[in-house]
Amino acid sequence: MGQSQQVNGGRQGLGALRERPPPEGPGTVRARRAAGALGVVLLAAMVAAQVASGLQPRPIALTGVVVLLLAGSALAFASVTHGAARAAPAFAAVVVTGYAAEWVGIRTGVPFGGYHYTGVLRPQLGGVPMIVALAWGGMGLAAHAVAAAVAPASRAARVVLGALALTAWDLFLDPQMIRLGLWVWHEPGFYRGVPLSNFAGWILVSLLVMVAVERVVARPAAWSGGLVSIYTVMAVMETVGFAAVFDPPDPLVAAAGGVSMGLFATLALLSRRHRCRT
């Protein structure tokens, strides 16, 4: 073996050591397995609650249940990947970031544009429903995991892709919440009443969310099949909901959200499959 081969081999070995998680004791392994099982149960319950929500004439009653199950599942799956000591602060950082953006937004119109929440979602803190902050936390972790799967070698790419993946979810979220009367835009925009400024604001806040996750977790590029599954399930269910379940259906939102979220979910799954082969 030549000197250059030895150097390259050494670098590869160091890289493998950096990516390899530290040794875990039996207690840690059991805790991660329990968290994974809890995540699966909560995700299945979320799917059931979302199906029930879509089939009843007044789905608002189950909206909070769906978000709580989403947030719990995301936190459980993040604990599997990053450990509970890192997952909980990461989740909290996203929740706080999302809440702060909403609190400022309803008072100043920055960064999303002028809007306000109705009194439908309770409880509220400072005019912001707490369930909204939890939704930021659950989907923020899921979108980051998708970005980590697509771009494990670049922090900058993970931050940008994660922000775009999270914003893609709002192509579903805003039209659905408007039709349920959960919030109101002061100056309705071109996309089912949603102004363009909203999506610019979402990208900005989502960038902050991704930076927060990157700073908290020890291995931000680690693969999380559970969190990617949450993102994928949400993409599929929202697409089906707008295409065929909601009354009336909305093919435009189904196509826009389905293609956008579907693209990120597909890239994440294909990237993982490619790395498993190499």
Side-chain angles (χ1 to χ4, degrees), residues 117-134:
Y117 286 96
T118 65
V120 176
L121 290 178
R122 297 285 181 177
Q124 296 188 2
L125 179 62
V128 179
M130 296 311 298
I131 208 72
V132 170
L134 293 178

Side-chain angles (χ1 to χ4, degrees), residues 80-110:
V80 175
T81 305
H82 304 295
R86 297 277 186 172
F91 178 79
V94 178
V95 169
V96 170
T97 301
Y99 173 81
E102 301 283 352
W103 190 91
V104 172
I106 62 175
R107 285 163 173 77
T108 67
V110 178

